[in-house]
Amino acid sequence: MRTIELKYKRLIGWNVIKTTVPSGYAEMTPSQFLASIRLSKGWIDEMTFFVQFFGIPEKLLPRIDAFSLYKITETLESLKTDNSAYFGFYQASLPGGELLAPENKLKGMCFQQFMTVDTFFSWYVTTDKEDYLDRFVGALYLKEDETYIPGEGSLLILDARILDIAKLPFDLKYSILINWVLIKSWLSHSYIHLFPESEISENSKGDKVKGKPVDWLALFDSFVGDNIADIDAYKALPCMDAFRLLNRRIKEAKKKG
């Protein structure tokens, strides 16, 4: 994280505004992450971006010269080439504070939840239907006592949850989708045989490119095999344990094949 100073003229002398600039995704605040997505999608103009990302008071923007604004924009170039791993959620909870994201490195997320969340993610990026985006967010954010596993807490009722999720701002839900892309990129470095390249990216012309999504149903059937009696235990596995086992199986199958 870097600190920069912006000077603007007062009636007598100069005043200084100090603001911070992240050098990578891991250093961005939730508001900075959301502002960067809003700008990249054209949902806000550059002046609004300066207010939201750098915390510059809107009334002071006209008093800061254009060259200074250009120079602080240059400091963001490192974000475009940041390939460092990011494995957390900027939006730790949804408005109201009751619905919570998984912890860093997907701690506490069972395999069933991951498969459900990632399936809705893939359906949204394939179809652009907002209902799938709502289901993706609703499947991801749970109450403290909610679970996907019978007998471990209050079971998630997704159809009821998405009625509230649908009321959230679209840009907030979309930012969570992009956050998921970052997490899957992190997973692809650790489990290269299990996770393909991200389903949502930009080509050289700036067009959206969608790769082939993971077929979790087929993978799960292969994972369980003939152990049908243990199917619930497989669903309840911590997702990171399931990834490790699946990645190894795929690697071994490729060697044999």
Side-chain angles (χ1 to χ4, degrees):
M1 188 76 72
R2 291 165 291 173
T3 300
I4 60 174
E5 295 184 353
L6 293 172
K7 294 181 178 180
Y8 64 92
K9 287 185 177 182
R10 304 179 65 181
L11 292 176
I12 300 176
W14 294 78
N15 204 355
V16 175
I17 300 174
K18 290 186 178 181
T19 186
T20 57
V21 181
S23 56
Y25 286 112
E27 295 181 348
M28 293 175 73
T29 66
S31 59
Q32 287 175 330
F33 183 64
L34 185 54
S36 66
I37 292 172
R38 287 169 173 161
L39 180 67
S40 69
K41 299 297 292 184
W43 295 333
I44 57 175
D45 58 28
E46 288 189 353
M47 292 298 102
T48 304
F49 172 75
F50 286 125
V51 173
Q52 295 182 0
F53 192 94
F54 294 106
I56 301 172
E58 187 172 4
K59 63 181 181 180
L60 296 181
L61 270 177
R63 301 169 65 179
I64 299 174
D65 64 278
F67 181 73
S68 294
L69 294 177
Y70 169 75
K71 294 301 289 185
I72 65 170
T73 303
E74 276 191 332
T75 65
L76 300 178
E77 288 299 312
S78 60
L79 290 176
K80 297 180 180 180
T81 57
D82 179 26
N83 294 316
S84 59
Y86 189 73
F87 41 71
F89 289 90
Y90 292 100
Q91 196 70 33
S93 64
L94 296 182
E98 190 177 30
L99 299 179
L100 309 174
E103 296 180 48
N104 284 351
K105 296 186 177 181
L106 303 182
K107 182 180 179 181
M109 178 181 257
C110 70
F111 192 31
Q112 177 64 58
Q113 183 183 9
F114 184 92
M115 290 190 294
T116 303
V117 170
D118 198 54
T119 295
F120 287 132
F121 164 81
S122 296
W123 289 357
Y124 174 73
V125 299
T126 302
T127 67
D128 286 327
K129 292 183 178 180
E130 192 170 350
D131 177 64
Y132 292 139
L133 179 61
D134 292 341
R135 289 179 179 275
F136 159 75
V137 175
L140 180 62
Y141 283 77
L142 303 179
K143 295 180 181 179
E144 193 169 354
D145 64 338
E146 278 185 329
T147 180
Y148 279 71
I149 310 304
E152 290 191 0
S154 177
L155 285 175
L156 169 67
I157 302 175
L158 186 58
D159 285 340
R161 174 62 44 74
I162 62 173
L163 296 176
D164 293 325
I165 300 298
K167 300 174 184 177
L168 295 175
F170 179 82
D171 57 357
L172 174 62
K173 293 183 288 188
Y174 191 83
S175 74
I176 296 169
L177 183 94
I178 300 302
N179 199 156
W180 189 251
V181 172
L182 295 177
I183 289 173
K184 290 193 69 178
S185 178
W186 163 66
L187 289 171
S188 70
H189 288 86
S190 301
Y191 306 101
I192 59 176
H193 301 287
L194 179 58
F195 291 97
E197 293 184 2
S198 172
E199 289 101 313
I200 180 171
S201 59
E202 303 288 329
N203 64 16
S204 59
K205 296 180 181 179
D207 300 320
K208 184 184 289 186
V209 179
K210 299 169 184 175
K212 184 178 180 181
V214 177
D215 186 347
W216 286 111
L217 180 60
L219 272 172
F220 185 74
D221 287 344
S222 175
F223 189 32
V224 174
D226 296 328
N227 302 313
I228 303 300
D230 298 323
I231 191 169
D232 288 336
Y234 281 95
K235 292 179 180 179
L237 272 176
C239 65
M240 300 301 288
D241 290 342
F243 299 157
R244 176 175 51 82
L245 295 170
L246 277 168
N247 191 70
R248 186 179 66 194
R249 288 188 186 182
I250 296 171
K251 181 180 179 179
E252 292 172 350
K254 287 180 178 179
K255 286 183 178 179
K256 294 178 180 178

